[in-house]
Amino acid sequence: MFRVLSALVLSILLVSVNGCSQQQQLQNAVTPTYRYVEGYTAYMRGNKAVAPTHAPRNIKRLIAAANKIVGRPYRRGGGHGRHHDSAYDCSGSVGFVLREIGAMGKQNFRSSGEFLRWGKPGFGRWLTLYAKRGHVFLMVAGLRFDTSGRGPGVGPRWYTSSRGCSGFYVRHIPGL
């Protein structure tokens, strides 16, 4: 009985440790630096992103969806009450583009912290989600889709610059 109980406790501890280590929380890190690779990296045309030629169909659809809301103002809670809204916050804009490609089903996360368990742990090839309590953003084909920036009311935008991401958890969709 003692051996069975000990084995059970050890199994639970191993599962707990593995679950935590898979989260990949970043410390003192920045997002990758934009580096254009012909056919594999999105590029900017004005304030809109252009999908790379070799990107999977879902990445092209995600970029097109994001371009629809680029330039909308930031509003706390924006994008939560309605899928198509006049303004978006970070989780509202990320949720919008992920729902557009069917990556969230009908889920409508109301905060960035809810993305901590979305997808799978680790970096994606085409799409990586960075989440922590208080903020969430995406890296898509080399570009950052984010609501943080300079100036009041900055909403969803594409960026070629990196940003600090200490404390963020890294998530992805398998295959992307």
Side-chain angles (χ1 to χ4, degrees), residues 27-168:
Q27 298 300 325
N28 302 319
V30 296
T31 56
T33 303
Y34 179 81
R35 189 172 65 87
Y36 181 73
V37 178
E38 181 77 35
Y40 292 93
T41 309
Y43 62 92
M44 298 296 295
R45 185 177 294 147
N47 66 346
K48 307 287 174 133
V50 177
T53 55
H54 297 300
R57 183 171 179 258
N58 273 346
I59 295 300
K60 290 177 180 178
R61 289 178 53 220
L62 186 142
I63 289 172
N67 284 338
K68 289 179 190 176
I69 64 170
V70 162
R72 301 266 173 96
Y74 179 91
R75 184 180 71 232
R76 186 180 177 111
H80 297 291
R82 296 181 299 192
H83 181 64
H84 295 279
D85 207 343
S86 59
Y88 291 86
D89 67 8
C90 63
S91 55
S93 62
V94 167
F96 175 85
V97 298
L98 293 175
R99 282 190 303 276
E100 285 285 299
I101 66 166
M104 289 185 61
K106 296 198 183 283
Q107 294 176 343
N108 189 11
F109 294 164
R110 297 200 174 273
S111 72
S112 56
E114 292 182 79
F115 284 97
L116 291 172
R117 298 210 185 278
W118 174 86
K120 298 288 182 191
F123 295 90
R125 180 172 181 208
W126 292 96
L127 172 66
T128 301
L129 179 136
Y130 292 78
K132 68 178 181 178
R133 296 194 191 291
H135 195 58
V136 63
F137 68 94
L138 299 172
M139 285 296 294
V140 183
L143 292 176
R144 178 168 54 96
F145 183 67
D146 200 346
T147 58
S148 64
R150 292 195 170 99
V154 173
R157 305 278 192 281
W158 290 107
Y159 294 91
T160 57
S161 60
S162 60
R163 65 159 288 153
C165 58
S166 180
F168 281 87

